[in-house]
Amino acid sequence: MRRASPFKEYSGVKWIMAAAALIALLAVSPMFGIRYLPLHDYPFHLARVLILSQLDNPYFARFYEHGSFLLPNIGMDAVAVPLSSLLGAEQAARVFVALTLLTALFGCMVLHRAAHGRWSAFPLLAVLFLHNGIFRFGFFNYLFGMGLALAAAGWWMVLRPGLARFAVGFVCAVLLLWCHFEAFAVFATVVGGLEIGRAWEKLPRNGAASALSDLALAALPFLACLLLFWLVSPTADVASKGFEYTPGMMSKPVGGLFALSSGSSVLDVITVLAVLGVCGGLAFTGNLTFSRPLAFAVGAMVLAFFVVPANVMGALYADTRLAPALALLIIAALDIRAGAPMLVSRSVLGLAVLLGVVQAGVFHVQWRGYEAVIAPITQAIEKIEPGSTLFAATTELYPAMIPDTPQKLAAWDPPLKHVASFAVLGSPVFVPMTWADPTQQPLAVKPAYRGVYDFPGHPRKTYSSADLTTLFTQIEAGRPHWPELNHAYLLLVGNKALEPLPLPAGVSRAAEGERFVLLRLP
């Protein structure tokens, strides 16, 4: 068979890289056309970044203090907080969210390059799974680390066993664990699958003892990283707590499908058709190949998906978070046959770019519609006086990973559970619903205000007038035991369901809109 000329190979790589850059720009473009990203956890992530970057503010300093940075969940804090001094907290947080998409795309490409020994248009199809359910939930630390984990696994693949591989593996494992514990787990799972595959191939000629020895050596950097975590991280104290499986045999596969969903039924249908069309067409024409080294890695990830509990150490959806990693791993394992006609590669490349254009267009329209809902709420709470305390309640359902009813689907249009955390964009306000768990975030509430922080937890569910009355009573009963709150407010989302509101004496309406009312407490 005649080989392609070096010029043609170089030209092909240039087109692939140009297409990758264009797809990356298309993927992140929707978030730079609006101010308030409609992603579930984004408000409190942004609030935490802003507070950490402004802890010298006397109002914030009254309520918060620095926590430990030796946590397996601080990818965003490690990047966005230093970046805030250059860009401001809002833009720094936005840049990090964009990076979660870019690391997934380019991490898949790097792993594919290591597995197949060449750059190819096929991993550009990762664009299908960048805007997924895990991204919509706002699990940015994990997604950022997941993309880096795929790239780190590609680096591992090209290294020979020895001291250099141990050092690279250990450094990558520590950095990934720092980003998010499950990103470390993705790296360990992929590498574990790779090494099991290598040991299996060597078993007939080298014997079981040699295979086990190789596996033990490969595991050393990961064991060393876990030991370091156990010795220095405050999270190690809760490492054995909070393991929970979701009941029901179909919860994992159904949850996995929703974890891959873009949130748009049109895009999800396009994704299914694109996957079936491309893979089916390439397989039918004999132009689809699968990386043998990654076969065991894919198997290991599938096993992990079904074995990992739903909740681990306070982290929700630990199992379904693996679905995007599994999808990208499968894309990295597949490729266009090396001798396939050039038209095949160009068609896949063109399709990937076209899918990126369609996605960007859909999200621009969808997110601008969500902005119209979020902006009035945020503009109202941004006017709260500095040093105030803002409680939150809702009559709406919390967004769920499996939105299997019309009411649950409506909770995503847009997700407003954490919208109260946006209040810090206007002034230094204490929002007890902004997460500051010292075992998960490098931000802690000062002991004097811990009771206020612990009181509501999540935004209080107020599905009836009696629920709202109870909340008012509990706030009033707690205030003698709390420090002086100065001005206090309650943001009620979905207030129309309870109108006319049973407002106690002294409670007044400070602002209201179609989906909310802001109440001033006495």
Side-chain angles (χ1 to χ4, degrees), residues 41 68 84 87 113 161 163 199 228 243 248 261 266 276 283 305 326-327 359 402 455 457 472 475 492 500 509:
D41 286 358
S68 173
S84 295
L87 303 179
R113 172 67 175 79
L163 186 59
L228 182 64
F243 293 86
S261 171
V266 173
L276 294 178
F305 175 78
L326 176 58
Q359 280 191 353
I402 304 178
F455 161 68
F472 285 131
I475 292 175
L492 176 61
R509 296 172 186 256

Side-chain angles (χ1 to χ4, degrees), residues 129-330:
F129 302 107
L130 299 182
H131 285 267
N132 53 62
I134 304 303
F135 178 75
R136 288 188 296 123
F137 244 107
F139 297 155
F140 306 125
N141 291 327
Y142 163 67
L143 289 172
F144 178 70
M146 180 199 72
L148 295 180
L150 297 178
W155 194 1
W156 178 281
M157 285 188 72
V158 300
L159 294 174
R160 294 182 178 181
L163 186 59
R165 193 180 73 169
F166 172 85
V168 168
F170 176 72
V171 171
C172 288
V174 170
L175 291 177
L176 290 170
L177 185 63
W178 203 29
C179 288
H180 195 279
F181 192 92
E182 200 156 354
F184 162 83
V186 168
F187 180 42
T189 301
V190 176
V191 169
L194 288 170
E195 294 305 313
I196 291 172
R198 288 172 177 172
W200 182 262
E201 289 185 354
K202 293 180 180 179
L203 186 61
R205 64 177 184 271
N206 293 346
S210 177
L212 291 174
S213 175
D214 289 345
L215 289 174
L217 289 174
L220 283 179
F222 301 93
L223 295 175
C225 179
L226 287 175
L227 177 61
L228 182 64
F229 161 74
W230 187 266
L231 292 174
V232 304
S233 176
T235 311
D237 296 335
V238 297
S240 62
K241 301 176 182 178
F243 293 86
E244 179 184 350
Y245 284 90
T246 301
M249 292 183 60
M250 295 303 295
S251 62
K252 282 181 179 286
V254 173
L257 290 176
F258 277 102
L260 295 176
S261 171
S262 66
S264 165
S265 57
V266 173
L267 291 181
D268 290 344
V269 170
I270 291 174
T271 295
V272 172
L273 293 177
V275 169
L276 294 178
V278 172
C279 293
L282 291 176
F284 181 76
T285 58
N287 289 315
L288 185 67
T289 62
F290 193 89
S291 167
R292 288 186 62 186
L294 285 182
F296 279 87
V298 171
M301 191 65 71
V302 171
L303 179 62
F305 175 78
F306 284 100
V307 170
V308 169
N311 301 330
V312 179
M313 295 187 294
L316 301 177
Y317 308 119
D319 51 353
T320 49
R321 292 187 198 211
L322 295 176
L326 176 58
L328 296 177
L329 182 58
I330 292 174

